[in-house]
Amino acid sequence: MRHLALTAALIATPLTYATAQDASLNPTFGVQDLQAGFATDPNWVYLLAGGLEQRSFTDAISGDVCRGYFADAPDYRMVFTSDGGPLSITAESHDDPVLLINGPDGRWYCNDDSHGLDSAVTFAAAQSGTYDIWVGTYGDPQGDYPGAQLSFTQLEPFEAQIRRSFFGEDDRLVMDVTQAPWNMIGYVEMQSGSCTGTLIAPNIVLTGGHCITNLGEQDNPPMRFSAGYQNGASVATAGVTSYHVPELWRLAEQEGMDFAFFYLDQPLGDRLGWMNIGTLTPQELAGFANGTGPDILQAGYSADRPGILTGNLSCPFVELASQNRLVHECDTVQGDSGSPLFIQDASGYRLIGVESHTNFQPEQEFDMNVAMYVANIVAEYQALTRTGPAASAVPAPVTK
């Protein structure tokens, strides 16, 4: 599972060079031989990222410094027979992977944040020989090592990921943030990193729960909300006075509860408007089932288009799955966490889901994009604002 929050980019400050990473040790997750022209491209393997040691390395290609927490032994070893052509090695994870490689020439190669938060090292003319590989994490994993996908490709780096994430074609458009409903969506500056949020009341914004906290982690509070943010300017900006994350997410990361509210120090919604939150009607669900449902819209601050609000005007609906999950085919990537999925109805715009995460499905044609269906959000909001009975959330109907 990959959450779509965008964490702070690394500001590279050279540290004392250290080589605790020992290429003579046996790799933890395996060894394989690859020859140029390998049939399954990308060739990939799952492993666990991170380690106990924080180290800094300088990439032999770019000169950039990258820093992360690595294990002592290589995570993986690949012995490559080259034809003189290119080779890219990539690392994908929900927890900001840092890729480190000791090449056949004995030099160190590293990368952090090449495609969103995912990492890649490309050898324009790859050498034959042994590539010892570490997949680290930018933050201290504190013994909870996240899953990661390590890939080898002679295509463009992340070509397969982009194809899977965008369902074959990128349909995102740049939105006019001076107009509704796009001016109700904004850039959420966290204490570290960013997410997307939506006005749902004059001074209340809805975003992703994992943007603020995950199980056992220290909170990463929202600091500022910039409505209609585009290229460094915004329609309106406000500070944050407080926030609320459901206890079922904070204490258990319960599926269906990955959302949060925060309160602004100014009622921006009085000027810009806000979206209602509400469940889909049986008629709307039936319409989605037979292909006549309302258009689903989405917009957020994708990591590959920094500072620009891009979105989808007609996302395919897939299903309402168990545990209040809305599975969809909006083109979303890291940075879109907390972004709204919504429809237009007679009373305005109705938010029906909040973007949460992407499930890797490398063995499938496409990945699975998952939003939190609004049923739990409505119940939590009613209890929080006392606008209705503080009853337990009604589970979403499961259409599968």
Side-chain angles (χ1 to χ4, degrees), residues 50-54 69-72 140-143 145:
L52 297 176
E53 304 290 338
Q54 186 182 41
Y69 287 84
F70 302 98
D72 289 335
D140 185 351
Q142 298 180 338
Y145 302 111

Side-chain angles (χ1 to χ4, degrees), residues 41-321:
D41 191 345
N43 184 291
W44 53 268
V45 64
Y46 283 124
L47 47 77
L48 298 180
L52 297 176
E53 304 290 338
Q54 186 182 41
R55 295 287 183 250
S56 173
F57 290 84
T58 301
D59 178 48
I61 298 173
S62 67
D64 292 340
V65 175
C66 44
R67 181 180 61 197
Y69 287 84
F70 302 98
D72 289 335
D75 292 311
Y76 203 73
R77 178 171 294 151
M78 190 269 290
V79 182
F80 188 58
T81 302
S82 176
D83 61 1
L87 173 70
S88 292
I89 301 174
T90 70
E92 304 173 42
S93 174
H94 68 79
D95 202 5
D96 200 356
V98 183
L99 182 61
L100 175 66
I101 302 166
N102 188 245
D105 56 4
R107 296 200 296 172
W108 293 94
Y109 302 87
C110 67
N111 177 257
D112 183 24
D113 297 353
S114 175
H115 179 77
L117 299 182
D118 295 328
S119 302
V121 171
T122 296
F123 301 91
Q127 301 176 42
S128 293
T130 299
Y131 293 77
D132 285 298
I133 304 162
W134 291 257
V135 180
T137 56
Y138 176 61
D140 185 351
Q142 298 180 338
D144 185 15
Y145 302 111
Q149 178 179 295
L150 179 67
S151 299
F152 308 96
T153 182
Q154 293 187 283
L155 306 172
E156 287 293 318
F158 302 108
E159 180 177 318
Q161 178 190 343
I162 292 170
R163 185 170 61 249
R164 295 194 316 268
S165 298
F166 293 153
F167 307 97
E169 184 175 347
D170 184 357
D171 295 319
R172 293 174 301 170
L173 301 172
V174 176
M175 300 307 176
D176 182 355
V177 297
T178 65
Q179 302 296 317
W182 317 113
N183 61 353
M184 305 172 192
I185 302 168
Y187 184 80
V188 183
E189 296 177 56
M190 320 298 296
Q191 183 171 286
S192 175
S194 65
C195 275
T196 303
T198 310
L199 284 163
I200 59 168
N203 70 327
I204 302 177
V205 174
L206 177 65
T207 190
H210 72 267
C211 296
I212 296 176
T213 191
N214 287 296
L215 184 64
E217 293 184 3
Q218 183 175 349
D219 282 9
N220 179 33
M223 308 298 289
R224 181 184 299 270
F225 177 72
S226 298
Y229 182 85
Q230 202 82 299
N231 289 317
S234 60
V235 174
T237 301
V240 177
T241 60
S242 60
Y243 58 90
H244 171 81
V245 181
E247 287 299 296
L248 288 174
W249 178 259
R250 181 183 292 279
L251 299 180
E253 288 191 3
Q254 180 171 310
E255 188 69 274
M257 302 301 294
D258 182 12
F259 59 89
F261 308 96
F262 62 87
Y263 297 82
L264 305 178
D265 61 9
Q266 300 176 52
L268 299 186
D270 284 343
R271 176 155 56 98
L272 304 177
W274 63 86
M275 293 189 194
N276 300 314
I277 53 175
T279 56
L280 293 164
T281 67
Q283 294 76 17
E284 289 165 341
L285 287 169
F288 284 127
N290 63 31
T292 62
D295 288 334
I296 296 179
L297 301 92
Q298 179 276 338
Y301 293 93
S302 304
D304 63 338
R305 303 291 299 275
I308 298 174
L309 186 69
T310 61
N312 301 262
L313 297 180
S314 182
C315 301
F317 173 92
V318 177
E319 65 172 335
L320 286 184

Side-chain angles (χ1 to χ4, degrees), residues 276 278-279 281 284 294 342-352:
N276 300 314
T279 56
T281 67
E284 289 165 341
F342 60 100
I343 61 176
Q344 188 169 10
D345 59 24
S347 61
Y349 297 97
R350 183 176 6 128
L351 192 151
I352 61 170

